[in-house]
Amino acid sequence: MADEKSLKFAEADSVKKFAFFGVAVSTIATLTAIIAVPMLCLHMQNVQSGLQEELVFCKAKNSDLKSEFFKLDKMEEKQKLVEVETVKKFAFFGIAVSTVATLTAIVAVPMLC
């Protein structure tokens, strides 16, 4: 009987240690959750607001970039028009010089003979 009592006391002592360890772990887990969950929510909110600001910045830069592309495209069209006009001027000048040279040759050759 004494043996049985000592076994029960040993089992009760073991269960006490197990229960104390379980309560301690659950208390630490609860306190960690009480502290960690709000901190995690705050961190996620900060990240989300930072991303929102970056998104607004990127959208603004994107619209600026689009307007710059349109300006560049218009400038290229104007530049092409200027180049075409320049080529036309050179062509006209070349035709004029060639016409003057031909007329000069027509008039000057008979005078030399």
Side-chain angles (χ1 to χ4, degrees):
M1 182 127 203
D3 218 13
E4 221 175 272
K5 267 189 170 183
S6 67
L7 282 175
K8 286 189 179 187
F9 279 128
E11 185 180 350
D13 195 34
S14 171
V15 169
K16 280 183 188 178
K17 289 179 183 176
F18 185 71
F20 179 77
F21 180 73
V23 169
V25 168
S26 66
T27 303
I28 291 170
T30 303
L31 290 175
T32 302
I34 288 171
I35 293 170
V37 169
M39 287 177 63
L40 181 64
C41 288
L42 181 65
H43 176 68
M44 289 175 58
Q45 186 179 12
N46 286 337
V47 167
Q48 192 267 340
S49 96
L51 287 175
Q52 190 68 30
E53 290 174 6
E54 290 290 327
L55 183 65
V56 168
F57 176 76
C58 287
K59 283 182 179 179
K61 287 297 177 182
N62 186 21
S63 66
D64 289 345
L65 188 59
K66 282 182 183 177
S67 67
E68 288 296 320
F69 278 133
F70 287 133
K71 285 179 189 175
L72 183 62
D73 191 35
K74 288 180 182 177
M75 286 176 62
E76 285 179 357
E77 288 175 7
K78 288 179 183 177
Q79 183 67 27
K80 287 177 185 175
L81 289 174
V82 167
E83 287 175 4
V84 167
E85 290 298 320
T86 305
V87 169
K88 284 181 181 178
K89 287 177 184 175
F90 279 121
F92 177 73
F93 180 73
I95 290 170
V97 168
S98 134
T99 304
V100 168
T102 305
L103 290 174
T104 305
I106 291 172
V107 172
V109 169
M111 291 178 147
L112 294 175
C113 293

